[in-house]
Amino acid sequence: MHPLLPRLAAQPRHPAVRSGDATVTYADLDRAARAHAAHLLAAGVRPGERVALWATPDVATIAAVVGNALAGIATVPLNPALGERELAHVLRDAAPRQVLASHPATFAGRAPSILPIVLDGPPASPPPPAAGDTLLVLYTSGTTGAPKGAVITHGNAAFDLDALAGAWGWTSADRLVHALPLFHVHGLILGVLGSFRVGASLHLLPKFTPEGVCAAMAAGGTMLFAVPTMYHRIAEHCEAHPEDARKLGRARLLVSGSAALPVRENERLSRLFGQRPLERYGLTETLILCAARHDGPRLAGTVGPPLPGVELKLVDDHRRPLAPGPEVIGEVAVRGPCVFPGYLNRPDATAQAMDAEGFFYTGDIATLTPEGEVRIVGRRATDLIKTGGYKVGAGEVEAALLEHPAVREAAVVGLPDDDLGERIAAFVVAYPGQAPSPQELADHVARLLAPHKRPRVVRLVSELPRNAMGKVLKKELAALPK
Ligand code: MLC
Ligand code: AMP
């Protein structure tokens, strides 16, 4: 029995994935995943090595992720929209043994050699990987520099998914409606691997639309995982289409995460659907740390208590623990079996984020309610932006802007946004005689990094406000009249 996916071979006729008109049973998935593993092993990929995979939202990609997990081969999922600069960085840093795609032609020329995922042929039965073996390397942004590869082990994922299954009463009777990207924790670990660990079914939507989500819920969905931006768009849609609101109202559980769900939005969703969404909180590096329980209180603005087995404390600016109390605000530090072992090739960054006792410092600022629920109230670094549930470092966007020949200086901030949570705004000083258009600069960033990292607002300014030390005063920029 595979330690991460024990149900894979245990319920052959149960539906595993529904995508479009096709339904793939657990037997189909198990067979396809093992055939894929056999091809990789025959091609000389060894357990413990890394394989990159264009994470297109289709069954072949999912089967390849599962096959890699069965064989102990680490998956490096690639955002299909990744820009050229960021893709080159990831491929250099992760140095995958192979790059795979369900449709290699789509990505022709984007990597030296791209192999198709092959799902037929004799299945492999490799020995199961150990808890400490790498399951995934997930690239995540910091305040500066290029994204870092967070190493997630089989043990990290198994612990976290079991804790979440307990919190949400998640079982094989569930069908999860899922329209999240497959290259981050939320969509890939929770949505895909979580469903398969508990033996549930997954209704995969290749593209998020409110109409598509409502139709999938009406077609038998019991749970929805989505980011606040998706809930915002679903709410807008359902206010105009009450019949669709009723479809979501029948859900067993609506779960929101990856960014704060504003209290106002929470109230709006409760009114629309007759049930309050559950929030959960986590990071790529730690997986999910806190979650409201399906049978517990649902308080707007809180992300639930720490999951059983997760140690959570609030610390001050010097990482000294703060005595818990109603007025206490501090940075969230965590320890537990879901916390990653470190960043790939970056012992410096790992040592900065974690202490010798194994506590990871999240950068999130929180308070604790008297009942022990966590309320996230902010973030330490203004240079980290969460937009549509994606984390973006201001530094990487600034560096990309500076590569544009017309840009002399650039400062990037996140501005509050009802839809995206934060929208990326760039303040740009152009070289004399140059006036690049906002669209041109946004396209430039989308081409180098990824479309979700493009600035949605670009303002040309004559100079950037700086303090006496020459440091850009970002708070002043964010406060400039629109
Ligand atoms: C627009 N597009 C461009 C472009 N402008 N493409 C190239 N150049 C330009 N200048 C295209 C995009 O490619 C995309 O195409 C479309 O326009 C819209 O792109 P977008 O603006 O990025 O998407 P948007 O509509 O805003 O998407 C909203 C969203 C998305 C909610 C669907 O943000 C999303 O999927 N968010 C989920 C993020 C997530 O999973 N986070 C989890 C991180 S894990 P096309 O073809 O795609 O439409 C984590 C831990 C935890 O945080 O706690 O979970
Ligand atoms: P990522 O690195 O993309 O995994 O993003 C992790 C960050 O997302 C956390 O550090 C938080 O800032 C934010 N986040 C995730 N879930 C929540 C939530 N429920 N409420 C508030 N912030 C969240």
Side-chain angles (χ1 to χ4, degrees):
M1 199 170 66
H2 189 269
L4 180 63
L5 300 167
R7 309 293 295 260
L8 203 59
Q11 40 180 45
R13 282 202 282 273
H14 198 62
V17 188
R18 172 166 170 190
S19 176
D21 292 334
T23 296
V24 172
T25 63
Y26 269 85
D28 298 333
L29 177 66
D30 187 47
R31 202 176 313 113
R34 287 182 191 283
H36 161 77
H39 281 286
L40 280 191
L41 296 168
V45 180
R46 303 267 58 92
E49 291 184 332
R50 291 184 288 277
V51 164
L53 181 62
W54 255 291
T56 46
D58 51 46
V59 173
T61 301
I62 286 176
V65 171
V66 170
N68 290 352
L70 293 178
I73 294 166
T75 302
V76 185
L78 303 174
N79 174 353
L82 214 52
E84 60 197 51
R85 184 75 72 254
E86 198 166 330
L87 176 62
H89 162 73
V90 170
L91 292 178
R92 197 169 43 241
D93 189 59
R97 271 298 299 273
Q98 288 193 349
V99 181
L100 304 176
S102 53
H103 296 97
T106 313
F107 303 101
R110 305 205 64 209
S113 129
I114 306 170
L115 299 178
I117 296 167
V118 183
L119 299 175
D120 48 17
S125 292
D133 289 346
T134 303
L135 172 68
L136 294 161
V137 179
L138 300 177
Y139 278 80
T140 180
S141 296
T143 51
T144 56
K148 302 184 285 284
V151 172
I152 306 297
T153 67
H154 284 253
N156 291 150
F159 167 84
D160 208 51
L161 292 172
D162 287 349
L164 288 174
W168 296 337
W170 192 5
T171 69
S172 59
D174 279 304
R175 185 195 283 184
L176 177 72
V177 173
H178 179 318
L180 290 155
L182 298 183
F183 44 86
H184 281 308
V185 164
H186 199 163
L188 190 56
I189 301 188
L190 271 57
V192 172
L193 297 175
S195 292
F196 299 157
R197 183 161 175 84
V198 302
S201 306
L202 183 66
H203 191 151
L204 184 73
L205 303 174
K207 188 169 170 55
F208 168 75
T209 60
E211 297 81 351
V213 167
C214 294
M217 292 306 291
T222 65
M223 292 170 85
L224 174 66
F225 289 175
V227 297
T229 300
M230 292 175 173
Y231 279 111
H232 177 78
R233 295 182 188 181
I234 291 169
E236 303 268 289
H237 168 81
C238 287
E239 278 172 357
H241 299 89
E243 68 286 4
D244 271 358
R246 282 192 288 277
K247 294 175 187 164
L248 255 78
R250 286 197 292 265
R252 189 178 74 75
L253 223 51
L254 302 172
V255 183
S256 173
S258 299
L261 183 68
V263 171
R264 170 184 84 252
E265 201 78 64
N266 190 312
E267 299 297 348
R268 182 188 192 189
L269 296 167
S270 310
R271 270 196 311 276
L272 263 172
F273 304 132
Q275 62 168 301
R276 205 175 274 291
L278 288 188
E279 273 208 79
R280 94 294 178 288
Y281 155 75
L283 290 84
T284 300
E285 294 90 333
T286 63
L287 307 188
I288 305 311
L289 299 163
C290 301
R293 288 188 58 85
H294 71 110
D295 52 0
R298 300 186 183 192
L299 308 172
T302 70
V303 295
L307 292 170
V310 171
E311 285 175 79
L312 184 147
K313 62 184 179 182
L314 299 183
V315 300
D316 68 13
D317 284 348
H318 304 284
R319 295 188 169 177
R320 289 179 303 222
L322 296 163
E327 304 293 321
V328 174
I329 297 186
E331 180 180 355
V332 176
V334 292
R335 181 164 69 177
C338 52
V339 175
F340 81 152
Y343 298 107
L344 186 70
N345 305 325
R346 293 295 305 276
D348 56 325
T350 306
Q352 223 169 42
M354 281 170 103
D355 67 17
E357 275 81 53
F359 274 95
F360 179 89
Y361 293 83
T362 62
D364 292 310
I365 307 295
T367 62
L368 296 176
T369 68
E371 295 76 31
E373 300 231 348
V374 176
R375 193 183 291 278
I376 306 292
V377 296
R379 201 178 302 129
R380 281 194 70 187
T382 48
D383 277 347
L384 281 181
I385 300 166
K386 263 263 154 163
T387 180
Y390 288 114
K391 188 188 266 185
V392 179
E396 56 182 333
V397 182
E398 288 161 4
L401 286 167
L402 287 170
E403 285 192 41
H404 190 281
V407 174
R408 193 171 78 183
E409 292 179 84
V412 166
V413 297
L415 299 179
D417 188 281
D418 282 345
D419 178 47
L420 295 168
E422 287 180 284
R423 67 177 174 282
I424 302 175
F427 295 83
V428 168
V429 181
Y431 280 109
Q434 302 279 332
S437 75
Q439 189 61 50
E440 181 184 347
L441 293 179
D443 291 347
H444 168 81
V445 173
R447 188 170 55 75
L448 291 189
L449 303 179
H452 68 266
K453 297 190 175 179
R454 72 189 189 277
R456 312 261 175 159
V457 179
V458 179
R459 295 266 306 264
L460 288 182
V461 291
S462 54
E463 59 179 340
L464 297 175
R466 293 180 187 275
N467 67 12
M469 310 290 287
K471 190 171 175 321
V472 176
L473 297 166
K474 293 212 169 172
K475 291 212 169 93
E476 281 192 18
L477 283 175
L480 280 180
K482 305 290 156 326

